[in-house]
C-alpha cells in the first residue's frame, strides 16, 4: 500500500504446503494505487512463489486488512477476494512464481468506502495487508 507521501509498504507471509512438501510457498504484494473514499476498487497484485522441487496448486488466497488506530478498516475498507479455489486453482511450477491476476484468475481488490459519516481520521492512513493461502501438490 502507499502512504500519504507515496512510500510503499510491502508485507510477505509464508505457509507450509500440504501433501508432503517441506518448504513454504509465499505470497507477497501490494495495492496498485492510492485509496480514497469512493475511488474504484484497486487490484492487489499478488506474487505467489513455489520454492519446491515439484509443482503446486494454490487453492485459496485470502487478504485481510490489519486494524488501524486512526481509520477502522472494518468500517472503511472492503476487500474483494481473488477467485482462486479448489475448482479454480493456480498451478505454480517447481521453483517458479505466478503473479495475480492471470488470464484465468482474478487478483483480489481493495477499495475505500465513501461513507455518509466523517472519514477525516482516514486521511493519510496506511493500511497493512496480511495474506493467507492454501496449496497442494
Amino acid at each position: 500500500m502507499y502512504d500519504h507521501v507515496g512510500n510503499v509498504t510491502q508485507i510477505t507471509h509464508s505457509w507450509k504446503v500440504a501433501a508432503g512438501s517441506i518448504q513454504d510457498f509465499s505470497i507477497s504484494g501490494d495495492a496498485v494505487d492510492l485509496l480514497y473514499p469512493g475511488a474504484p476498487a484497486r487490484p492487489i497484485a499478488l506474487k505467489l512463489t513455489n520454492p519446491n522441487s515439484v509443482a503446486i496448486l494454490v487453492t485459496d488466497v485470502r487478504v485481510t486488512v490489519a486494524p488501524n488506530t486512526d481509520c477502522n478498516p472494518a468500517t472503511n475498507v472492503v476487500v474483494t477476494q481473488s477467485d482462486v479455489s479448489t475448482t479454480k486453482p493456480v498451478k505454480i511450477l517447481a521453483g517458479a512464481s505466478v503473479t495475480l491476476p492471470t488470464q484465468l484468475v482474478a487478483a483480489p481488490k481493495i477499495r475505500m468506502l465513501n461513507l455518509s459519516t466523517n472519514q477525516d481520521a482516514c486521511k493519510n492512513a496506511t493500511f497493512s495487508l496480511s495474506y493467507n493461502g492454501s496449496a497442494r501438490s
Side-chain angles (χ1 to χ4, degrees), residues 31-78:
V32 175
D33 206 350
L34 295 174
L35 300 177
Y36 57 88
R42 307 294 188 197
I44 303 169
L46 293 183
K47 183 177 181 180
L48 313 175
T49 302
N50 174 16
N52 294 287
S53 60
V54 296
I56 62 170
L57 294 174
V58 176
T59 57
D60 186 46
V61 173
R62 296 284 161 198
V63 177
T64 56
V65 183
N68 182 303
T69 56
D70 299 322
C71 179
N72 182 359
T75 305
N76 292 282
V77 177
V78 172

Side-chain angles (χ1 to χ4, degrees), residues 110-131:
I110 187 168
R111 72 181 177 95
M112 187 171 186
L113 298 173
N114 189 13
L115 304 176
S116 61
T117 58
N118 187 320
Q119 291 177 280
D120 285 352
C122 295
K123 286 182 181 177
N124 301 320
T126 300
F127 297 104
S128 295
L129 304 178
S130 297
Y131 309 114

Side-chain angles (χ1 to χ4, degrees), residues 68-88:
N68 182 303
T69 56
D70 299 322
C71 179
N72 182 359
T75 305
N76 292 282
V77 177
V78 172
V79 173
T80 303
Q81 300 297 337
S82 170
D83 56 350
V84 173
S85 68
T86 56
T87 59
K88 201 173 186 180

